[in-house]
Amino acid sequence: MLIRSLRPEIVLPPCDHTRETVNVIGRFQEDISPVLPYLNATQPKALFHRPAAILRFRFEGHQVTLQPHEMALGGFEDGDQAVLTLFRLQRLINETWERREEITPSNVERKRLQALAVYRLLPGTNCKVCGEPTCFVFANKLAAGQIGIELCTPLCHQDAYVEKRIQMMTMLESSI
Ligand code: SF4
């Protein structure tokens, strides 16, 4: 067992104590850094910052932030629900650690896709083949997950954009 005991603490969202949601933080003595690459591999759309040993993902609809000696969960209607979910998260972490020999760990550091970064790698011709009025509109929709890169057929198929295509695919693979 990786995390043996947990100290839950209910906290109100910072700067706005009028909001009707609560967050919960669980603190523990053990260092959970070694399990983060296994959770990064198994939790969909996890965001991993390896140098700082911080992993973020969603658990039962709530945003999770894991650090070496702390886990935080946000957006609960009441404290009891928050604490129960925190203990289920503890169980997930411990079970993942126990199954680590079956999991290929991942140190991939995914980042949120930025529209400007997408835009810089598009052809920039505003040709409208994708159905969007400009490349910038396309970039914003791609970053928001509303459309796929395959709709930009000039980028995907024309020899003139081979280098940009490779860079774009690399960026998309390491982003969410
Ligand atoms: S098809 Fe590609 S190059 Fe043409 S407007 Fe759309 S994003 Fe820009």
Side-chain angles (χ1 to χ4, degrees):
M1 186 179 291
L2 188 58
I3 304 172
R4 294 186 179 279
S5 69
L6 194 60
R7 282 177 290 117
E9 179 189 338
I10 298 295
V11 288
L12 294 171
C15 307
D16 187 359
H17 289 196
T18 62
R19 283 176 56 181
E20 292 180 352
T21 60
V22 297
N23 301 334
V24 62
I25 294 176
R27 296 192 174 86
F28 39 86
Q29 285 192 328
E30 298 83 1
D31 179 0
I32 62 165
S33 308
V35 77
L36 299 185
Y38 296 95
L39 288 162
N40 190 35
T42 53
Q43 296 307 306
K45 298 188 174 182
L47 290 172
F48 191 24
H49 190 276
R50 194 156 60 113
I54 296 174
L55 185 73
R56 294 192 172 92
F57 58 93
R58 291 192 79 78
F59 177 69
E60 298 183 2
H62 300 275
Q63 183 66 46
V64 172
T65 303
L66 300 182
Q67 299 182 61
H69 298 282
E70 186 179 297
M71 62 174 85
L73 276 159
F76 293 92
E77 290 175 5
D78 67 75
D80 289 345
Q81 183 198 10
V83 171
L84 287 173
T85 309
L86 186 76
F87 284 119
R88 286 197 294 274
L89 177 62
Q90 177 191 9
R91 192 166 65 212
L92 171 78
I93 293 168
N94 283 338
E95 285 174 354
T96 302
W97 182 243
E98 281 154 23
R99 291 195 304 113
R100 64 190 180 281
E101 290 187 1
E102 306 162 17
I103 303 168
T104 303
S106 169
N107 285 309
V108 171
E109 293 189 42
R110 295 182 198 87
K111 299 186 176 83
R112 290 199 194 287
L113 201 54
Q114 301 293 319
L116 197 56
V118 171
Y119 176 70
R120 288 188 179 124
L121 293 176
L122 291 172
T125 57
N126 299 327
C127 68
K128 303 182 178 59
V129 168
C130 57
E132 303 301 333
T134 64
C135 293
F136 194 66
V137 172
F138 181 92
N140 277 283
K141 288 192 174 181
L142 187 77
Q146 295 168 351
I147 55 177
I149 190 63
E150 69 282 354
L151 294 178
C152 180
T153 51
L155 181 75
C156 293
H157 299 293
Q158 291 181 13
D159 291 345
Y161 302 116
V162 168
E163 277 190 28
K164 283 189 165 190
R165 181 157 68 235
I166 292 169
Q167 288 179 49
M168 179 72 85
M169 295 309 168
T170 303
M171 184 170 72
L172 294 179
E173 281 171 14
S174 61
S175 306
I176 64 167

